[in-house]
Amino acid sequence: MLRAMRRIIAAAAAFIITLSLTACSKEQEPQPKPQVLVLLDSYGQSHENYYESILNAVKVMEGSAEIVYEYYTSQTQLTALAAQNDIVVNFCYDALESLLSTAGSTPETKFLTVVQSDTASVPENCIGMYFDGAQGGFLAGAAAALKSTTDKVGVVTEQYYEKWYEGFCKGVAHVRPQMQIITAYTQNNSAYDEAKRLFESEGCDVVYCCADDNIGAADAAVECEKFVISTGFELYDYAPDNALYAVLDGASTLMTDMLGKLIADTAQLGVVNDYGIVEGGILLSPYFQNLSEQIYTEINNLKTELIIGNIDF
């Protein structure tokens, strides 16, 4: 009887040890990293520094995810890539319509994308990020109107920047109600020719690039010895004597933070998040050497007025 009990105890102990070893083995097995696709567009391909800050921020996540980068070409390409990855991150508006369609037909993949409106709708497996261009454009308009020594300012704009453009016009009118705004549109995604025309033919001394091609607008400003205000891209290092100001978005920090939540599976899906000045979605350039201290102070005062709601949009 005693011998039988010993055999039972020994067998039970061996079984427990086996379970423990199996559990430890499972705990030590590395979990596969999620596959993350970062989608870029043709403008970023031809202007490598356009995405520099965003890509540098995304690289922070390389320890917790396998990240690949692709340039968007078509919905067919995107659909195939989405099926191969756990998360798709989109920084470009060119791919937006295709991405939302692909997200709806690829429910097992999560999507993080910029959107054009805070009222946009996204599929249940997607997060939209809207950067309040109206606030950014307003501050750009104020800066242009305060700096200009003429009775007119120029703006080069394009599709996807309607809110920035509307805000710019309101900012100019808020500071100098009688000032004329001369509007031009990019040609073949280039702002250079139209910015140059605004400087030389229209007599503008400040042009706001409310478009992707900030570099083209800066080249025109340098050639004409005038000033340019950029959107979402800091031009000071590129054209220090002509970069008047920049209204930036907080995409690099905010999208990286949201990507981290997607990887950790803690993000709320099926929503559009609205990022304005308060939320860190709209930032002001730290460089203002070509603005007087008085003008810079006035712009920051207007920023405060926007935050507390004293300026009606």
Side-chain angles (χ1 to χ4, degrees):
M1 181 70 178
L2 181 60
R3 183 177 296 175
M5 287 295 295
R6 287 175 178 171
R7 288 177 180 171
I8 293 172
I9 292 172
F15 179 70
I16 292 171
I17 291 171
T18 300
L19 285 178
S20 299
L21 291 174
T22 301
C24 290
S25 175
K26 289 182 178 179
E27 289 176 0
Q28 292 172 0
E29 289 179 5
Q31 296 298 314
K33 295 180 180 179
Q35 301 288 317
V36 177
L37 167 67
V38 177
L39 202 62
L40 308 175
D41 63 9
S42 57
Y43 183 81
Q45 191 170 17
S46 59
H47 298 75
E48 293 180 359
N49 54 356
Y50 180 67
Y51 286 121
E52 184 176 358
S53 63
I54 293 176
L55 296 184
N56 286 340
V58 169
K59 287 178 181 177
V60 174
M61 308 305 299
E62 288 181 347
S64 54
E66 297 290 345
I67 302 177
V68 295
Y69 305 88
E70 294 284 350
Y71 289 98
Y72 169 75
T73 59
S74 67
Q75 182 165 351
T76 300
Q77 172 227 29
L78 176 55
T79 300
L81 289 171
Q84 300 167 17
N85 289 273
D86 300 300
I87 300 170
V88 176
V89 180
N90 174 46
F91 293 127
C92 54
Y93 291 108
D94 287 350
L96 179 57
E97 184 176 347
S98 295
L99 181 134
L100 294 177
S101 176
T102 299
S105 61
T106 318
E108 65 278 7
T109 302
K110 299 174 186 175
F111 294 80
L112 174 63
T113 183
V114 292
V115 295
Q116 296 172 257
S117 169
D118 56 346
T119 60
S121 59
V122 296
E124 290 302 314
N125 57 331
C126 183
I127 298 173
M129 302 186 73
Y130 172 68
F131 298 93
D132 193 345
Q135 291 185 343
F138 181 91
L139 295 173
L146 290 167
K147 177 66 177 182
S148 178
T149 59
T150 72
D151 61 352
K152 64 184 75 171
V153 291
V155 54
V156 181
T157 189
E158 65 187 3
Q159 188 183 13
Y160 306 132
Y161 285 87
E162 292 91 347
K163 294 292 184 181
W164 294 85
Y165 175 74
E166 291 171 7
F168 175 81
C169 295
K170 291 179 179 179
V172 171
H174 185 84
V175 174
R176 294 175 65 179
Q178 304 305 316
M179 176 167 264
Q180 182 182 4
I181 299 171
I182 303 177
T183 303
Y185 295 89
T186 57
Q187 303 297 320
N188 298 318
N189 297 320
S190 172
Y192 171 80
D193 289 337
E194 290 304 308
K196 186 176 180 181
R197 182 179 66 79
L198 290 172
F199 287 131
E200 291 186 338
S201 302
E202 300 292 349
C204 300
D205 56 356
V206 179
V207 166
Y208 173 45
C209 184
C210 186
D212 283 344
D213 189 21
N214 291 284
I215 296 294
D219 288 340
V222 171
E223 187 175 330
C224 298
E225 298 183 350
K226 304 296 184 181
F227 295 106
V228 62
I229 298 175
S230 54
T231 301
F233 187 65
E234 180 58 72
L235 286 172
Y236 182 74
D237 289 338
Y238 185 81
D241 295 328
N242 308 89
L244 184 63
Y245 203 53
V247 181
L248 311 172
D249 61 53
S252 58
T253 300
L254 293 169
M255 293 193 83
T256 303
D257 177 66
M258 192 58 69
L259 175 57
K261 292 179 180 179
L262 281 172
I263 292 172
D265 202 23
T266 59
Q268 181 182 358
L269 298 170
V271 298
V272 172
N273 297 313
D274 187 354
Y275 298 100
I277 293 173
V278 173
E279 297 81 11
I282 300 298
L283 310 173
L284 301 183
S285 169
Y287 305 107
F288 57 95
Q289 283 82 342
N290 295 317
L291 286 174
S292 68
E293 185 174 345
Q294 179 181 353
I295 291 177
Y296 189 71
T297 298
E298 190 161 350
I299 293 171
N300 277 282
N301 288 340
L302 290 172
K303 173 185 172 182
T304 301
E305 294 294 304
L306 283 173
I307 291 173
I308 62 179
N310 285 350
I311 297 176
D312 185 18
F313 268 90

